[in-house]
Amino acid sequence: MTKRIVYPKDGGGIAIITPNPDCGIPYDQIALKDVPVGKPFLIMDTVDVPTDRTFRDAWDADFSNPDGHALGHFAWVETQPKEESESVK
Amino acid sequence: MAGTIIVDRIESDASYASTINVANKITFSNTANFVGAGNVSIGNSNSQAKVHIGSSTTAPGFGTASEMVYNIGANQPEFLVRQTGSSVVCSIAADSTGGYVRTATNHDLRFITNNTNQMNLTAGGLLQFNSGYGSVATAYGCRAWVKFSGISNSIVASGNFSSITDQGTGLYRANFTNNLVDANYAVVTAAQPNGYAGAALGAGGPNGAGDSNTNTYVALECRNYTNNNNEPNELFVAVFR
């Protein structure tokens, strides 16, 4: 089941992230990384996102019980394990 | 007949050549020191270096003014060649994380096929190659690319993009998996029109969502010929830096 990540835009309405399933990063981690810093987000099944985009700019969602709050790209990178390497000298 | 010869010391008059023929093996019970100005060779009778393995003497940079050292460390085996005239050091090594081909000095690493220089990795980190260009010159990499379907809202294929953010009609962010060093990159975009509408993409911004390019995402906007935001059937983005 593919997923979508939804977060509120500053000026109202919502943004919808299509994660790349081949990038090697789990959906929840993509949310923490690619949603703007501090924003609440929801992770939902793709089938739950409307396909009729006629009124796309009027879409909204309930973020009172979010799946998390974003860290942003660089703070997320800091949470990732560092690869140890023996340096050849 | 098997046997053991214990030798404390071998000496010869400088005017005589000395040869010891051993049918099986020589074992050193302590550290073996080969003292003197001569060379040690394996597989040839005309050593061209302090340690010369094999019979070839024609490899580029390998001559009488070179040294060749075969070093086997516990965690880091390394085959190292040093050109003593210029101090260029090149080696092949490995450790527990991977293999290495390198110059250990401030010199380019050159790749040669058909006895012709085809590719360089310069000491400054530039990748140079021919590949039909006509000469070996610096090539600048595509750091990220994506084919995105606006119909199914799905990433068809990509490299170094972890996601696409739909920010509204015709407004997108393409989020890098690994961030770029800065936002001073070039973006090449294309879009397949949706229905009758022409599609055009702007990259750089600020776009209609107030977004500009950063080192973590590309800001995109797609409009039709009436200059209204429009969603393309397919969206193509490539980032060069």
Side-chain angles (χ1 to χ4, degrees):
Chain A
M1 180 71 72
T2 59
K3 300 288 186 180
R4 295 291 183 265
I5 300 160
V6 180
Y7 68 86
K9 295 194 297 183
D10 286 338
I14 58 172
I16 303 169
I17 291 179
T18 300
N20 180 0
D22 299 323
C23 74
I25 305 174
Y27 292 130
D28 60 328
Q29 297 298 304
I30 290 176
L32 291 170
K33 181 177 83 69
D34 290 346
V35 172
V37 180
K39 293 266 190 191
F41 61 80
L42 300 170
I43 299 175
M44 59 176 56
D45 293 335
T46 300
V47 294
D48 293 333
V49 177
T51 55
D52 183 351
R53 296 175 61 83
T54 306
F55 300 104
R56 163 66 184 87
D57 293 335
W59 291 358
D60 207 348
D62 179 7
F63 294 97
S64 60
N65 187 25
D67 291 315
H69 288 79
L71 299 174
H73 184 102
F74 293 107
W76 177 83
V77 168
E78 289 301 314
T79 67
Q80 300 306 296
K82 302 291 186 295
E83 184 175 307
E84 297 292 334
S85 176
E86 299 176 34
S87 67
V88 172
K89 300 191 189 284
Chain B
M1 184 175 73
T4 301
I5 301 173
I6 299 174
V7 179
D8 286 335
R9 191 173 182 180
I10 299 175
E11 291 186 353
S12 69
D13 188 298
S15 62
Y16 293 93
S18 299
T19 301
I20 301 174
N21 294 315
V22 179
N24 193 356
K25 62 181 179 181
I26 299 174
T27 301
F28 298 96
S29 59
N30 206 332
T31 301
N33 296 308
F34 297 88
V35 181
N39 298 333
V40 174
S41 64
I42 300 172
N44 70 82
S45 58
N46 184 26
S47 177
Q48 299 293 298
K50 293 298 183 187
V51 176
H52 182 174
I53 302 171
S55 59
S56 174
T57 60
T58 58
F62 183 55
T64 55
S66 302
E67 290 183 19
M68 191 172 178
V69 177
Y70 187 34
N71 173 39
I72 301 177
N75 299 314
Q76 183 187 305
E78 183 164 20
F79 181 82
L80 182 148
V81 179
R82 181 176 63 193
Q83 214 283 341
T84 51
S86 61
S87 298
V88 176
V89 174
C90 181
S91 72
I92 300 172
D95 65 17
S96 62
T97 64
Y100 303 81
V101 177
R102 64 164 179 164
T103 57
T105 49
N106 187 22
H107 297 92
D108 297 350
L109 187 61
R110 296 173 183 154
F111 297 84
I112 295 171
T113 60
N114 195 23
N115 206 30
T116 302
N117 183 202
Q118 307 285 13
M119 186 170 73
N120 298 329
L121 182 58
T122 72
L126 298 177
L127 178 62
Q128 303 175 327
F129 57 81
N130 187 327
S131 193
Y133 179 70
S135 66
V136 176
T138 301
Y140 300 93
C142 176
R143 303 297 182 177
W145 61 275
V146 64
K147 176 184 178 182
F148 180 77
S149 170
I151 299 173
S152 61
N153 271 317
S154 61
I155 295 171
V156 179
S158 70
N160 198 29
F161 279 120
S162 59
S163 66
I164 301 288
T165 303
D166 160 22
Q167 294 190 296
T169 303
L171 297 167
Y172 304 95
R173 275 185 187 182
N175 301 294
F176 297 124
T177 303
N178 297 300
N179 64 282
L180 271 61
V181 293
D182 56 33
N184 296 325
Y185 45 79
V187 184
V188 178
T189 60
Q192 184 191 46
N194 178 358
Y196 65 89
L201 279 163
N207 63 13
D211 257 350
S212 298
N213 291 347
T214 74
N215 59 349
T216 62
Y217 62 80
V218 181
L220 299 160
E221 182 167 16
C222 185
R223 296 189 179 192
N224 60 17
Y225 69 98
T226 59
N227 204 28
N228 293 313
N229 283 76
N230 168 261
E231 295 180 335
N233 290 337
E234 290 183 326
L235 169 62
F236 306 87
V237 181
V239 174
F240 292 86
R241 180 71 168 85

